[in-house]
Amino acid sequence: MTGLAVATVSRALADAPDLRADTKALVRKVADELGYVPNRAGLRLRTGRTQVIALAMSPEHDMMNNTARLISSLAGTLRETPYHLNVSYFFPGEDLLKPIRHIVETGLADAVIFNQTLPDDPRVAWLMERRFPFATHGRTRWADRHAWADFDNLAFGAIAVRRLARAGRRRIAVIAPPLDQNYAQDIVAGATLAAAEAGVEVRILPQLTSDAASAVVQERMAQVLPEGVDGVICASTNSAMATVAALESLGLRLGREIDLVAKEAIPFLSLFRREIIAIREDVGRAGAVLARAAMRAIREPGAPPLQDLETPQDDDQ
């Protein structure tokens, strides 16, 4: 139907880099009109490839904000390529390697993407040892050796403290992610350094993380806020909303007695309460980079890994 040779059609569907863009567009157009989909079982038998990229993630992460935006961006970037996105899950308390091993050892995907990285992440070490293509949302101590996209959480922690200090806040509570994760350690380090420079107190709340259920955050913050806290830093949308619910239940006024700084992936928090100091994290940018990084790792295993760091700006200075 395209008038092209079978081999050319096959290479166009595989997004061969040396084919002209208009040739590939024609083949995709006709394929869409025919309702063509590749038989992935047959493809795997013939080529050893699945044309699948797997995302391994926790089902309890911030689905209303960061993770939903990440999945949308990954899928959108892969939409005009031969690759399909599958999602696998790991659960709290479960061996982090379990879903990764399952994907790799059963040949379910050609590459894997995952988040919530640890400084010495066993998944990264295992995948590098086996030379299996992967990319991470977040860095590790091996960041110079693998593909990643990340947000500068060290800068976020410092900016958040400086914004609160300029607003006159002196006793700041931080609802950080789980402290074994790399980005949590960066937030704490940035906040601690900025607090020392500004002469304010920063308290990392024990036994409470930004991944906790909203009801848990609200109950705990209702206990913490009366202890003289006048500023709060939240690492997720859910924890920010739960904190607002807690302070309002105590009769406190956001922007008056207390200020709150939080990260968000989509413009939401300032619509929820305009007094929230929201710092944007472009998770869509990270998803697009991770998709391209995974494809490069599959197609060009000897090429330098694709890496990207988004650094927030202190717009209030």
Side-chain angles (χ1 to χ4, degrees), residues 58-60 90-99 116 178 180-181:
S58 166
E60 298 189 358
F90 57 88
F91 296 88
E94 187 176 65
D95 180 5
L96 290 175
L97 262 176
K98 182 178 178 180
Q116 297 182 315
D180 61 338
Q181 295 178 21

Side-chain angles (χ1 to χ4, degrees), residues 151 155 159 163 279-280 310-317:
F151 181 76
I159 290 170
R163 293 284 296 270
I279 296 177
R280 176 82 186 279
E310 178 195 359
T311 301
Q313 302 300 314
D314 190 352
D315 296 330
D316 195 45
Q317 280 189 322

Side-chain angles (χ1 to χ4, degrees), residues 114-119 121 123 136-140 181-182:
F114 53 91
N115 59 5
Q116 297 182 315
T117 54
L118 310 179
D121 201 297
R123 299 167 294 183
T136 63
H137 189 199
R139 287 166 289 175
T140 70
Q181 295 178 21
N182 199 67

Side-chain angles (χ1 to χ4, degrees), residues 2 4-31 36 51 79-83 299:
T2 61
L4 299 170
V6 170
T8 303
V9 170
S10 179
R11 295 179 66 246
L13 291 170
D15 198 25
D18 57 330
L19 277 185
R20 289 171 41 173
D22 58 345
T23 299
K24 290 190 278 191
L26 171 63
V27 171
R28 291 192 190 111
K29 177 177 179 294
V30 173
Y36 167 81
Q51 291 188 344
R79 182 179 179 185
E80 298 300 327
T81 77
Y83 293 95
R299 295 167 170 171

Side-chain angles (χ1 to χ4, degrees), residues 53-103:
I53 293 175
L55 171 64
M57 52 171 281
S58 166
E60 298 189 358
H61 207 45
D62 190 359
M63 281 299 297
M64 98 186 257
N65 202 321
N66 286 52
T67 304
R69 185 72 186 94
L70 180 66
I71 293 172
S72 174
S73 179
L74 284 167
T77 304
L78 296 175
R79 182 179 179 185
E80 298 300 327
T81 77
Y83 293 95
H84 178 74
L85 181 69
N86 278 355
V87 181
S88 298
Y89 296 99
F90 57 88
F91 296 88
E94 187 176 65
D95 180 5
L96 290 175
L97 262 176
K98 182 178 178 180
I100 305 297
R101 290 178 64 101
H102 179 70
I103 291 165

Side-chain angles (χ1 to χ4, degrees), residues 125-146:
W126 191 83
L127 289 164
M128 287 196 304
E129 182 181 347
R130 283 153 185 79
R131 299 181 181 276
F132 189 85
F134 72 97
T136 63
H137 189 199
R139 287 166 289 175
T140 70
R141 73 178 181 91
W142 302 290
D144 60 322
R145 297 170 54 190
H146 67 82

Side-chain angles (χ1 to χ4, degrees), residues 155-193:
F156 164 74
I159 290 170
V161 168
R162 288 198 292 265
R163 293 284 296 270
L164 291 170
R166 287 199 296 270
R169 306 310 179 186
R170 291 294 177 264
R171 299 192 66 192
I172 300 168
V174 179
I175 307 177
L179 292 177
D180 61 338
Q181 295 178 21
N182 199 67
Y183 81 114
Q185 295 177 21
D186 282 348
I187 290 173
V188 170
T192 302
L193 179 61

